[in-house]
Amino acid sequence: MKYSIVTFASHSALQILHGAKQEGFHTIALTIQGTEQPYKSFKVADEIITIKSYADFFAIEPELTNKKGILIPHASLIAYLGIDAIKRIKMAYFGDRTILSVEADRDAQMAWLSEAGLHVPKTFNTPETMDRPCIIKFHGADGGRGYFLAKNQQEFYEKIGTNPLKKYVIQEYVVGVPIYIHYFYSPLTDEIELMGFDRRYESNVDGIGRIAFKDQMGFAFETSYTVAGNTPLVLRESLLPAVFQMGAATVKASRIRANQGLYGPFCLETMVTPDLNFCVFEISARIVAGTNVYVSHNPYSYLRYNEPMSTGRRIAREIKTAIEQNQLEKILG
Ligand code: ADP
């Protein structure tokens, strides 16, 4: 019996399932009632299993195990099922689950990146110590939702009012250009691969430039960072050595924090400053939605593979290779 690649129908599922089909797997999309249409229309799933809510996953888990299912995580799984539930999953799961708790805790994340020797934004423990404009972020990835800017302590207290109960972090606001770096680390070959770059399209920060400054002055809006989509990007080539070095250092530093360490796809979210330094403000320890821009064509993975290689397909390729080499345990966590 063939192995099945299983994923929740959201986030990067179209790409994951499409890539798995390209590599010859049986594919299963888990849809929440009412979200089936894209997965039917794009014909990426051999099977669609509909459940009422994410929590119903455990009722169908035995069936998925019988189908030799391997579950591929993405941000929607983490956000809607939750890390504690993910730790209870018994079916085959691609990736190291212990890394998720590190990723979810912004302080642990920053410590990890600093230990890797990466340049990170300055963090202020209290609003009283703020000495520059800051971005205030809440814990847990939610696509930038609810973040706000504060130029000083007074503005912080004025704005925090509506969200005082959530845990937050006060981070230096870095002025540069946002560049999201997509990596894939293979524990089978011990190689860091560069899969590509994207930039996010965020509302309303990416729309504010459409309004003349004189008109902005009359508007009472707050800058916000809610992700609406992603666009492709290529990087100035002389920056690539630094990109590879940062990826390798991140993987190495992950090993003291998680069982097997970080492997598979991950992303460093950076601001590139005018002196061409990368300031890393976040890490995603799994596939990011920005890779969706490269289902058919990606300059970097094309250079490496000489065939279209989306991150979804790369995951499936890794699983296929592990099965062929009898090393599946190396990539299941
Ligand atoms: P999420 O955890 O929801 O993925 P991020 O930490 O990636 O959120 O931040 C969302 C957006 O906020 C980023 O894409 C970027 O535009 C902006 N941002 C985050 N951190 C900083 C920072 N330190 N300086 C400037 N902009 C930032």
Side-chain angles (χ1 to χ4, degrees):
M1 188 190 194
K2 264 194 195 178
Y3 280 90
S4 305
I5 296 297
V6 183
T7 199
F8 269 96
S10 177
H11 189 264
S12 44
L14 290 170
Q15 183 200 156
I16 292 169
L17 298 169
H18 183 262
K21 263 177 108 64
Q22 284 177 310
E23 293 300 307
F25 286 99
H26 179 77
T27 56
I28 303 176
L30 305 178
T31 56
I32 305 298
Q33 243 166 35
T35 63
E36 298 88 347
Q37 190 52 38
Y39 303 90
K40 282 187 186 152
S41 169
F42 292 117
K43 307 202 184 310
V44 291
D46 295 314
E47 231 178 299
I48 293 180
I49 301 178
T50 301
I51 52 181
K52 279 218 183 76
S53 74
Y54 273 82
D56 292 340
F57 166 77
F58 289 100
I60 52 154
E61 193 187 11
E63 179 188 340
L64 298 171
T65 304
N66 286 341
K67 290 181 172 162
K68 292 179 81 173
I70 299 176
L71 182 66
I72 313 295
H74 51 54
S76 296
L77 181 81
I78 296 160
Y80 300 122
L81 197 59
I83 295 177
D84 291 338
I86 291 176
K87 287 184 181 154
R88 293 202 306 275
I89 292 175
K90 291 194 199 69
M91 71 178 285
Y93 176 98
F94 177 75
D96 181 345
R97 276 178 259 199
T98 53
I99 205 84
L100 298 178
S101 314
V102 184
E103 193 204 5
D105 177 336
R106 287 197 187 274
D107 301 330
Q109 211 187 87
M110 283 297 141
W112 169 13
L113 296 174
S114 301
E115 274 160 30
L118 307 189
H119 178 52
V120 298
K122 193 169 160 51
T123 301
F124 297 92
N125 291 332
T126 61
E128 286 66 31
T129 52
M130 278 170 66
D131 64 1
R132 63 194 79 183
C134 287
I135 180 165
I136 293 45
K137 303 177 178 186
F138 296 96
H139 280 246
D142 192 18
R145 206 182 293 264
Y147 295 1
F148 65 89
L149 296 184
K151 283 192 282 304
N152 48 41
Q153 168 190 345
Q154 187 194 345
E155 198 175 346
F156 171 87
Y157 283 116
E158 276 165 20
K159 292 184 174 174
I160 194 81
T162 51
N163 270 314
L165 295 175
K166 285 204 220 156
K167 224 179 146 193
Y168 57 79
V169 61
I170 305 174
Q171 202 175 73
E172 162 189 14
Y173 191 85
V174 182
V175 183
V177 288
I179 294 185
Y180 287 67
I181 312 171
H182 316 152
Y183 296 95
F184 190 96
Y185 171 67
S186 167
L188 303 177
T189 58
D190 190 25
E191 185 185 340
I192 288 277
E193 296 171 31
L194 174 63
M195 302 302 292
F197 304 92
D198 78 290
R199 58 172 294 193
R200 284 186 181 179
Y201 198 42
E202 295 168 336
S203 185
N204 59 18
V205 71
D206 289 318
I208 291 173
R210 293 159 53 91
I211 306 167
F213 181 64
K214 67 178 172 51
D215 297 324
Q216 287 180 26
M217 296 302 282
F219 269 116
F221 59 74
E222 291 294 337
T223 313
S224 57
Y225 297 85
T226 308
V227 182
N230 305 75
T231 54
L233 187 90
V234 287
L235 193 73
R236 190 173 166 144
E237 196 157 313
S238 59
L239 295 177
L240 291 179
V243 164
F244 277 95
Q245 190 274 326
M246 291 193 297
T250 304
V251 169
K252 194 165 172 225
S254 73
R255 295 192 180 128
I256 52 163
R257 301 184 167 271
N259 288 348
Q260 294 148 278
L262 179 64
Y263 61 87
F266 68 100
C267 172
L268 291 180
E269 308 182 2
T270 74
M271 283 287 168
V272 176
T273 49
D275 51 3
L276 294 178
N277 279 316
F278 290 88
C279 184
V280 185
F281 58 83
E282 166 119 8
I283 178 167
S284 295
R286 41 161 176 89
I287 188 168
V288 285
T291 60
N292 287 338
V293 297
Y294 300 119
V295 170
S296 64
H297 176 74
N298 174 345
Y300 298 98
S301 65
Y302 187 75
L303 288 167
R304 173 72 177 71
Y305 286 96
N306 288 304
E307 63 182 326
M309 184 59 67
S310 68
T311 294
R313 185 174 188 182
R314 183 63 190 85
I315 293 170
R317 177 71 60 91
E318 186 79 353
I319 295 172
K320 192 163 121 180
T321 310
I323 293 167
E324 283 163 5
Q325 298 179 353
N326 215 4
Q327 298 202 74
L328 206 45
E329 78 292 343
K330 271 200 173 169
I331 57 161
L332 302 179

